[in-house]
Amino acid sequence: MPGSVQSIERAAAVLRLLAAAPNGLGVADVGNALGLAKTTVHGILRTLHQVGFVEQDRSGAHYHLSDAFGRLGESYLDPNELRSRAINWADSLAARSGEVVRVGRLDGSKVVIVHHVFRPDDSDQDLDVGTTLPPHATALGKAVLAYDASGAARPKRLEAFTTRTITDPARLAEELATVRSRGWAGEFEEHTIEIAGIAAPIRGLGGLVVGAVGLIGRIERICDSRLRHRADLVTMVRATAEAIARDLRGDS
Amino acid sequence: MAEQYVAAVDQGTNSTRCILFDRRGRLVSVAQREHRQLFPKPGWVEHDAAEIWRNVTRVVPAALRQVGAEPGQIVAIGITNQRETSLLWDRATGRPIGNAVVWQDTRTDRLVAELAGDEGLDRFADLCGLPLNTYFSAPRLKWMLDHTPGLRARAERGEVLFGTMETWLIWNFTGGANGGLHVTDVTNASRTMLMNIASLEWDDELLAAFDVPRAVLPEIRPSSGVFATATEVLPGVRIGAALGDQQAALFGQTCFSAGEAKCTYGTGSFLLLHTGQEIVRSKHGMLTTVAYQIGDEPASYALEGSMAVTGSLVQWFRDGLGLIHTAAEIETLARTVDDNGGAYIVPAFSGLFAPHWRSEARGVIAGLTGYITKGHLARAVLEATGFQTLEVVDAMNADSGIALTALKVDGGMTANNLLMQFLADLLDVRVVRPMVTETVSLGAAYAAGLAVGYWPDLEGLRSNWHRAGQWLPNMDPTRRATEYANWQAAVQRTFNWIRPDQ
Ligand SMILES: Nc1ncnc2c1ncn2[C@@H]1O[C@H](COP(=O)(O)OP(=O)(O)O)[C@@H](O)[C@H]1O
Ligand SMILES: [Mg+2]
């Protein structure tokens, strides 16, 4: 069978076996059933466990399908878990850049802020966690919208917040293509006058985008004298997204 | 010139971390490895010290690798650790004698009662600042020497070394059986019950009371000061600090003056109030402890309110009950309901620590009705941390005579917004999170960097502290009072569960 990937075939077979065994199976059971070596089966089960498709019982001896496997269409990363994983790196980005840092993820057709770090100037600021942003008008939003293959989050009507908001679907598609090719999204007075932002997607296991991290602040601080997003800040934001992703993938 | 960093090694209850910080006190890289929790019998908790050292040898290079740093770019190592966890090892082979006995372990409860005798649990408090409790090292050390045949004789001959985890790490960093340095610092020593809290030296009366030969004990050093130059893992790099995790967090929050306080929310949670160079004795169940000592300056002291089970209750909810997959998911589950539904969980897993100090208490779920769902229980789990904090803050306020006006928080649980808001509501004060949640590591880095001149003084460090998040109180006072009264009634129901005849 040219072109097929053996390990995926085997993984599919393991999933079928587990689906048919309500009490779960051990490594040896699976190995015997499929005629595979224990180490091979162990590697497959470990990976399926890592991606959240199978679970282990308390003793660690038996594997069974996870609840999440039955709900594959739903987001696989808990928003509070995303905050826990992002917190160190988001803090570090705020300290380094001197700007407000936020982590967001898609929820329906909105971007929800799941984490917010104050600008490190000790001024009065309120936590924005739980509030929503329009995906097409913000850097955080564009950084996740660009990777939304389902199109479910694509706004039906592109509401204008300022004269710079992108309201033309064709232009938005172009903008999202730019985000994909550069790996980061910019915002320039599209949501709020005098405010600019930079955001980058956070890629979990297998490259799935689970959210975005970005900073936001006054144009004169976020952009250079030619009104382009500062390259040093872009580098910092992308490095932060990569650090969170590395944490999520479990390789440090 | 290549950037320079300080490496903090945080040997915690669940994991060992290495974090690099830059000159502005910003986190640059993190590597972490969990170690196994061994539960050989109910109430027993152990760690494999060899596994922990192996983890150190892995996380330190991993943290350097993340930023492509060479060992030459590390100006100092700062060590911080889970406190009171006790270990004996063979001086000649460097091998641990049995597992490390962890601070949560309650195997010494009978021994503690015997030691208290007619004089009571506070019989040594004047000398060491601590009540007799299974929590501290000395009863544990006595237990280990009593229960391994021939061990006390070997200890008296100097063949056996005792240490808490920072002592074990420094010994290994400096060559282990090949010339390793056997030292501790004043903060860790202040948790043993063997150090005189005023003289900062091992106390003969305490050594006699616990039947501990002096030959097993490490030399006590200041917390910040060059201990030695490492020969292992980061050869050539100076070890500039060692301090217990909670004292490190106080330092990392830059609580350098009397009256400043912080609470760290991890496996357990610990509120520490800096009391300056004065040794303050609590009348309300707080511990007197050493906050830090910088070089040959006089030591600073603190009052401490210790809560044994906070984050570990979330872990129990995850691993013991299997109701969530990750600790953070407890917030998602808790938000499926609006309140606790009348349920309260008092997690007296290893008795109750501050302000009660009841070793014989065991946990309860109170107010259970058919109405309660797992969502309510998730709330009760998080609220338990809030209520325990309120008890400690009340006691601390009573001791110090000044009411806390804001609470500085740090640690893994501060990622939980529901809990942080509940804390603000319940305590009726602002709750403030600094820009470095890993304050334990930051404090160890600060203390080490000061020792080698990477940072000039404490004032400079203060300017690195920034507010990263803040929660404001917003709860009706009557509701607050009712909730607290319910909690207190639940606490009463945990008392006297373990009875002397059992
Ligand atoms: N989002 C969260 N909500 C509640 N508890 C959490 C969350 N994240 C981590 N924890 C708890 O915090 C603890 C880990 O925090 P940490 O500061 O690393 O502790 P330690 O240093 O004591 O090991 C664990 O007990 C875990 O259950
Ligand atoms: Mg810790």
Side-chain angles (χ1 to χ4, degrees), chain B residues 10-13 15 17 245-246 264 266-267 438 440:
Chain B
D10 174 6
Q11 202 302 292
T13 309
S15 69
R17 275 170 264 217
D245 53 6
Q246 298 310 317
T264 302
T267 310
E438 300 283 354
V440 170

Side-chain angles (χ1 to χ4, degrees), chain B residues 71-282:
Chain B
Q73 287 170 259
I74 308 300
V75 295
I77 304 167
I79 294 174
T80 179
N81 56 291
Q82 52 168 326
R83 306 171 304 171
E84 303 98 9
T85 296
S86 305
L87 178 70
L88 288 169
W89 66 93
D90 187 308
R91 183 197 287 273
T93 66
R95 272 201 284 280
I97 300 170
N99 285 322
V101 181
V102 178
W103 60 273
Q104 299 146 317
D105 188 292
T106 56
R107 76 184 63 181
T108 57
D109 48 8
R110 200 177 293 262
L111 174 62
V112 160
E114 279 166 28
L115 287 162
D118 297 336
E119 291 169 79
L121 294 169
D122 280 330
R123 63 179 288 202
F124 303 120
D126 281 347
L127 289 174
C128 65
L130 308 172
L132 269 167
N133 192 280
T134 58
Y135 178 28
F136 306 109
S137 311
R140 209 163 275 147
L141 173 53
K142 176 171 167 49
W143 189 95
M144 292 192 281
L145 291 171
D146 286 347
H147 285 78
T148 318
L151 195 58
R152 183 168 277 105
R154 291 192 62 207
E156 273 155 9
R157 290 198 298 271
E159 295 168 22
V160 174
L161 302 178
F162 163 79
T164 38
M165 296 322 282
E166 83 296 350
T167 301
W168 171 241
L169 262 50
I170 295 173
W171 196 75
N172 280 292
F173 265 120
T174 54
N178 304 314
L181 185 69
H182 189 221
V183 290
T184 182
D185 92 295
V186 286
T187 67
N188 277 296
S190 80
R191 314 297 292 188
T192 56
M193 296 195 81
L194 297 172
M195 187 185 79
N196 186 296
I197 190 85
S199 71
L200 306 179
E201 287 168 1
W202 301 124
D203 186 290
D204 284 324
E205 191 180 331
L206 294 169
L207 297 195
F210 289 100
D211 202 5
V212 169
R214 195 175 262 275
V216 296
L217 297 175
E219 179 192 335
I220 303 173
R221 298 267 186 100
S223 328
S224 172
V226 176
F227 283 73
T229 300
T231 57
E232 308 297 318
V233 187
L234 286 177
V237 180
R238 286 174 290 176
I239 299 171
L243 59 179
D245 53 6
Q246 298 310 317
Q247 282 88 342
L250 188 72
F251 208 77
Q253 287 265 22
T254 66
C255 295
F256 300 138
S257 307
E260 295 187 287
K262 67 84 204 182
C263 193
T264 302
Y265 291 93
T267 310
S269 297
F270 302 84
L271 183 86
L272 270 73
L273 170 74
H274 195 301
T275 59
Q277 280 151 30
E278 195 189 343
I279 299 177
V280 177
R281 310 281 178 173
S282 172

Side-chain angles (χ1 to χ4, degrees), chain A residues 4-249:
Chain A
S4 74
V5 179
Q6 190 186 44
S7 56
I8 295 181
E9 287 173 1
R10 287 174 173 174
V14 171
L15 289 172
R16 281 183 199 281
L17 283 181
L18 292 177
N23 296 324
L25 296 172
V27 174
D29 303 329
V30 175
N32 292 338
L34 298 180
L36 292 175
K38 243 176 137 173
T39 51
T40 311
V41 172
H42 191 253
I44 293 171
L45 283 169
R46 219 182 35 222
T47 308
L48 288 172
H49 183 255
Q50 234 182 345
V51 301
F53 284 7
V54 311
E55 281 171 358
Q56 269 172 300
D57 64 6
R58 270 200 88 180
S59 69
H62 283 82
Y63 291 83
H64 55 88
L65 287 186
S66 69
D67 296 342
F69 186 67
R71 299 184 271 110
L72 275 186
E74 294 171 29
S75 145
Y76 81 90
L77 186 68
D78 182 277
N80 294 306
E81 177 69 9
L82 178 57
R83 180 185 322 110
S84 253
R85 300 304 194 91
I87 198 163
N88 280 331
W89 305 108
D91 279 348
S92 188
L93 177 60
R96 232 162 260 284
S97 65
E99 303 299 338
V100 168
V101 169
R102 299 180 304 182
V103 176
R105 71 199 275 275
L106 269 182
D107 187 355
S109 61
K110 294 282 186 200
V111 170
V112 182
I113 296 176
V114 300
H115 184 47
H116 172 189
V117 187
F118 290 171
R119 190 169 354 95
D121 58 8
D122 300 322
S123 63
D124 268 332
Q125 299 166 62
D126 294 322
L127 276 187
D128 276 343
V129 174
T131 59
T132 57
L133 298 172
H136 68 288
T138 55
L140 214 47
K142 286 189 275 183
V144 285
L145 200 53
Y147 303 91
D148 172 48
S150 76
R154 195 68 43 89
K156 307 274 168 301
R157 198 178 65 80
L158 299 174
E159 188 187 343
F161 296 90
T162 69
T163 53
R164 291 193 194 270
T165 311
I166 301 177
T167 52
D168 170 22
R171 251 206 74 210
L172 181 61
E174 233 172 80
E175 171 82 0
L176 297 180
T178 309
V179 170
R180 282 190 296 269
S181 69
R182 300 193 298 206
W184 61 277
E187 169 182 341
F188 190 90
E189 285 198 328
E190 294 145 78
H191 184 257
T192 311
I193 299 291
E194 292 177 359
I195 295 296
I198 301 167
I202 301 167
R203 288 187 184 277
L205 278 173
L208 276 178
V209 171
V210 295
V213 58
L215 48 80
I216 186 153
R218 297 190 57 80
I219 284 180
E220 61 272 22
R221 292 199 306 259
I222 305 294
C223 298
D224 61 21
S225 55
R226 292 153 70 189
L227 296 181
R228 285 182 319 202
H229 293 93
R230 274 170 48 191
D232 59 330
L233 293 180
V234 169
T235 306
M236 274 184 222
V237 170
R238 298 186 66 185
T240 302
E242 183 43 43
I244 300 168
R246 205 170 48 219
D247 217 313
L248 287 170
R249 294 192 302 258

